[in-house]
């Protein structure tokens, strides 16, 4: 190898192939002038990078990506100078909590009838559903429920939950088989057409916030998956999560079948404001008998940071056959029960200036969510209550 | 500019069959890359409002090139480099148009005074001065050298840099070393008071 400044520079940045890297290292060992040049290149690189660092915007100066996206769609002129700078990535935070929620909602858990139990999800199988989650990620929510319950969790436990999810994503607890891929969204022209496709009466809002116009109306079939976990893996999950006091069912394998039926999505837009209504029958999740769901639930609540006594009490109070448990990062979002569509639903709102909020409820075996961007709770509920 | 991977890649038609999916893909790209694109632009132009406008323009161009992103993940690496290239080009064009403009200097001054980072007015002035010097040194370089430095600082890999400034991957090291030498020379020419340091 000849002396080559470009190679040395790339060597510094570790941007060479293994072969090149070896060649440069070998050459360097015997070439004093290249050693000197490498040292000089390094010093200069650091110097330049240090000088450029002063151009970095201050932490508070960066605009919120979600707001920028809304502006992008709105085509609005910049008002950067007057807009207060958000302290952190608000969108990222709410997005994360929403993803967490969605993951939990996906984790239906119970035989023929379902529970979507985050609690259980944290514990066992459902975090292993990464491909299914992936497949289902296009849906707003996938769950079968009669009630929603919220478990507030703090930032540390939110991270803990995410780490566990990542572990599962990497296949640490096994991989489910996707039996059926989700379908592509199909545009429909009317509620009648959608209803005929999905087999349940699809509702549309009879009123909209002033100025809102229809944007899309789609139906989409959901995924189906099959998952098996053996005893050793089950125990491994419990060990990783340091969950104690849970008795594994007396079976060699747990077999879970998940089937997500049709999802109907309508969206309406007014400038940057967007309302998305989703309706679906709950997914079918078949679980083996012999699992002590209350004990699993209590263990999961403890895992999420709840004192043992509270965890036990809450787990016993929950009807695990019909309740979706949503872990809500308290730093980022808050919730309240609201009367919507004639029943009790749940309104999740950001604590920050994040523009996303969502209301969810269940009626006549259909789960509804209305998600709003750049809208307030009043308008969100207006849309929800206008469904006919 | 003879090798442009986007023009040689078989364009995926933007199918109206799945507009919702496409919209989600675009939104995801926007949210994933907006912050780093904004920071890059801010470093170059030094004014928040202008950086925001240029970021909007860069994403508008991306939106108009659906073959880059509708196809999905296999393009992600290139999309990022593509965005960085478009953004730096936009920023350098903006600088060229405004270089002699008084408005720019005023905005830079407002920006430095208004960002609250340095409450002490003397400190603020020094800070602005230092930023201005760095930008002037960058502006003194041939455009590609300046872009290379800013993009490297933004964290692009050599592969991405090669795509972003349209050069062969093998020449990035050479060009970067040259750009750094040129930048140091230009910077020192602007700050003669800092004697005692030897040319390295």
């Amino acid at each position: 190898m000849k002396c080559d400044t470009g190679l040395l520079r790339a060597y510094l940045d570790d941007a060479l192939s293994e072969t090149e890297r070896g060649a440069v290292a070998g050459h360097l060992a015997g070439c004093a002038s290249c050693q000197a040049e490498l040292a000089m290149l390094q010093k200069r690189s650091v110097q330049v990078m240090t000088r450029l660092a002063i151009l970095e915007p201050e932490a508070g100066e960066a605009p919120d990506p979600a707001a920028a996206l809304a502006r992008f769609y709105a085509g609005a002129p910049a008002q950067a100078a007057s807009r207060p700078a958000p302290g952190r990535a608000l969108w990222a935070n709410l997005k994360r909590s929403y993803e967490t929620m969605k993951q939990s909602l996906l984790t239906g858990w119970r035989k023929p009838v379902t529970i979507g139990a985050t609690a259980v999800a944290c514990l066992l199988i459902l975090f292993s559903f990464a491909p299914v989650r992936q497949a289902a990620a296009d849906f707003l929510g996938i769950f079968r429920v009669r009630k929603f319950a919220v478990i507030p969790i703090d930032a540390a436990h939110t991270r803990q939950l995410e780490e566990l999810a990542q572990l599962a994503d990497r296949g640490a607890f096994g991989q489910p088989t996707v039996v059926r891929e989700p379908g592509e969204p199909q545009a429909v022209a009317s509620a009648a057409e959608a209803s005929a496709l999905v087999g349940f009466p699809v509702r549309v809002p009879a009123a909209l916030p002033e100025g809102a116009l229809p944007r899309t109306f789609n139906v989409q079939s959901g995924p189906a998956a099959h998952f098996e976990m053996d005893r050793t893996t089950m125990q491994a999950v419990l060990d990783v999560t340091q969950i104690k006091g849970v008795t594994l069912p007396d079976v060699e394998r747990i077999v879970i079948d998940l089937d997500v039926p049709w999802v109907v999505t309508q969206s309406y837009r007014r400038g940057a404001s967007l309302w998305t209504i989703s309706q679906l029958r709950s997914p079918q999740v078949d679980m083996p008998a012999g699992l002590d769901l209350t004990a699993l639930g209590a263990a999961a609540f403890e895992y999420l940071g709840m004192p043992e006594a509270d965890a036990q009490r809450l787990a016993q109070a929950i009807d695990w056959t019909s309740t979706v448990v949503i872990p809500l990062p308290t730093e980022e979002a808050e919730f309240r029960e609201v009367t919507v569509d004639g029943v009790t639903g749940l309104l999740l709102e950001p604590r920050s200036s994040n523009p996303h909020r969502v209301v969810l409820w269940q009626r006549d075996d259909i789960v509804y969510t209305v998600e709003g961007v750049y809208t307030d709770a009043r308008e969100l509920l207006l849309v929800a209550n206008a469904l006919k | 500019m003879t090798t442009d991977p986007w023009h040689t890649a078989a364009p995926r038609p933007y199918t109206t069959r799945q507009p919702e999916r496409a919209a989600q893909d675009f939104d995801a790209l926007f949210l994933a890359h907006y912050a780093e694109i904004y920071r890059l632009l801010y470093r170059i132009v030094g004014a928040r409002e202008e950086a925001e406008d240029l970021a909007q323009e860069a994403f508008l161009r991306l939106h108009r090139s659906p073959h880059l992103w509708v196809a999905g993940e296999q393009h992600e690496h290139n999309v990022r480099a593509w965005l960085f290239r478009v953004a730096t080009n936009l920023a350098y064009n903006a600088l060229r148009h405004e270089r002699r403009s008084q408005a720019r200097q005023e905005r830079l001054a407002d920006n430095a005074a208004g960002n609250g980072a340095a409450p002490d007015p003397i400190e603020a002035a020094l800070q602005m001065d230092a930023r201005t010097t760095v930008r002037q040194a960058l502006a003194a370089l041939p455009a590609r050298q300046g872009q290379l430095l800013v993009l490297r600082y933004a964290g692009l890999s050599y592969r991405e840099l090669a795509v972003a400034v349209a050069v062969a991957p093998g020449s990035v090291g050479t060009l970067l070393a040259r750009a750094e030498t040129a930048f140091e020379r230009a910077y020192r020419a602007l700050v003669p008071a800092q004697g005692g340091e030897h040319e390295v």
Side-chain angles (χ1 to χ4, degrees), chain B residues 100-137:
Chain B
R100 280 160 298 188
S101 144
Q102 187 59 30
R104 157 166 297 278
Q105 293 310 318
E106 284 167 10
R107 208 160 47 216
L108 287 174
D110 285 353
N111 205 56
N115 65 18
D120 177 354
I122 296 173
E123 193 62 29
L126 287 174
Q127 171 94 352
M128 184 190 75
D129 204 41
R131 285 185 168 197
T132 307
T133 308
V134 173
R135 286 204 179 87
Q136 282 174 350

Side-chain angles (χ1 to χ4, degrees), chain A residues 57-266:
Chain A
E58 303 295 336
E61 283 178 50
D64 175 28
L69 181 59
R71 193 191 133 197
F72 177 84
Y73 280 122
Q79 333 158 356
S82 59
R83 192 162 60 221
R88 51 186 189 152
L90 303 163
W91 158 252
N93 284 335
L94 194 88
K95 176 90 177 154
R96 200 177 57 191
S97 63
Y98 191 65
E99 284 300 319
T100 309
M101 184 185 86
K102 215 157 69 173
Q103 281 168 22
S104 70
L105 295 178
L106 176 58
T107 59
W109 171 263
R110 175 55 186 178
K111 44 190 199 168
V113 197
T114 309
I115 317 175
T118 300
V120 181
C122 313
L123 274 186
L124 278 184
I125 297 106
L126 288 163
F127 272 130
S128 312
F129 266 84
V132 180
R133 277 213 310 275
Q134 202 56 49
D138 294 328
F139 301 123
L140 265 178
I142 293 164
F143 36 89
R144 167 179 298 178
V145 297
R146 291 185 174 67
K147 275 179 278 181
F148 297 99
V150 168
I151 306 298
I153 54 173
D154 62 23
H157 289 93
T158 306
R159 276 195 302 279
Q160 189 179 328
L161 207 54
E162 283 166 4
E163 282 162 17
L164 188 62
Q166 283 166 11
L167 204 59
D169 280 348
R170 291 198 296 270
F173 310 136
Q175 296 288 357
T177 316
V178 176
V179 177
R180 187 186 71 235
E181 297 281 347
E184 293 292 341
Q186 305 174 26
V188 290
S190 66
E193 188 187 344
S195 303
L197 276 168
V198 303
F200 65 84
V202 171
R203 300 162 74 198
V204 293
L208 289 169
E210 199 174 335
L213 294 169
R215 182 169 161 261
T216 57
F217 198 166
N218 289 319
V219 300
Q220 185 173 12
S221 63
H226 174 82
F227 184 76
E228 294 186 13
M229 185 187 267
D230 61 27
R231 246 191 123 70
T232 319
T233 313
M234 284 185 257
Q235 191 56 54
V237 178
L238 294 182
D239 292 345
V240 165
T241 52
Q242 299 189 318
I243 285 170
K244 296 181 182 68
V246 171
T247 313
L248 290 174
D250 190 20
V251 289
E252 274 313 299
R253 315 181 73 72
I254 286 188
V255 179
I256 300 169
D257 285 296
L258 172 75
D259 192 331
V260 181
W262 292 90
V263 180
V264 184
T265 312
Q266 310 160 57

Side-chain angles (χ1 to χ4, degrees), chain A residues 4-7 9-13 15 40-41 43-58 60-73 76-81 83-86 91 95 134 137-138 182-187 215-218 220 265 267 269 276, chain B residues 17-21 23-24 26-28 30-31 34-35 38-40 42-44 46 48-50 52-53 55-57 59-61 63 73 111 115 117-118 126-127 130-132 134-135 138 149-150 152-153 158 170 172-184 187-188 194 197-200:
Chain A
D4 184 327
T5 305
L7 278 180
R9 185 64 192 80
Y11 179 82
L12 258 188
D13 279 335
M40 185 274 290
L41 284 171
K43 186 178 167 195
R44 188 153 60 210
S45 163
V46 169
Q47 224 159 29
V48 172
M49 290 298 133
T50 311
R51 301 211 203 282
L52 290 182
I54 200 171
L55 301 181
E56 200 63 18
E58 303 295 336
E61 283 178 50
D64 175 28
L69 181 59
R71 193 191 133 197
F72 177 84
Y73 280 122
Q79 333 158 356
R83 192 162 60 221
W91 158 252
K95 176 90 177 154
Q134 202 56 49
D138 294 328
E184 293 292 341
Q186 305 174 26
R215 182 169 161 261
T216 57
F217 198 166
N218 289 319
Q220 185 173 12
T265 312
S267 65
R269 180 156 255 162
T276 307
Chain B
R17 200 167 58 83
Q18 16 178 298
E20 190 77 30
R21 172 73 61 87
Q24 284 171 9
F26 179 79
D27 290 6
F30 189 106
L31 294 168
Y34 181 84
Y38 168 81
R39 280 202 304 277
L40 170 87
Y42 183 91
R43 284 183 213 115
I44 302 174
R48 175 174 172 156
E49 191 178 332
E50 192 177 359
E52 284 192 71
D53 285 345
Q56 292 281 335
E57 177 63 23
F59 281 101
L60 189 62
R61 292 187 183 196
H63 197 260
E73 284 180 25
N111 205 56
N115 65 18
L126 287 174
Q127 171 94 352
R131 285 185 168 197
T132 307
V134 173
R135 286 204 179 87
L138 279 174
L149 290 180
V150 175
R152 177 61 194 158
Y153 181 83
Y158 275 41
V172 170
T174 309
L175 295 173
L176 195 54
R178 257 183 231 158
E180 285 169 342
T181 308
F183 175 84
E184 273 303 294
Y187 185 86
R188 281 163 196 229
Q194 287 190 357
E197 276 187 57
H198 300 288
E199 171 77 42
V200 289

Side-chain angles (χ1 to χ4, degrees), chain A residues 274-296:
Chain A
L274 179 70
W275 297 268
T276 307
I277 306 166
S278 297
Q279 328 181 29
L280 69 157
R281 251 195 235 288
S282 298
Q284 177 87 19
V285 180
D286 294 313
M287 295 289 298
L291 287 176
D292 183 348
L293 292 172
T294 305
L296 281 171

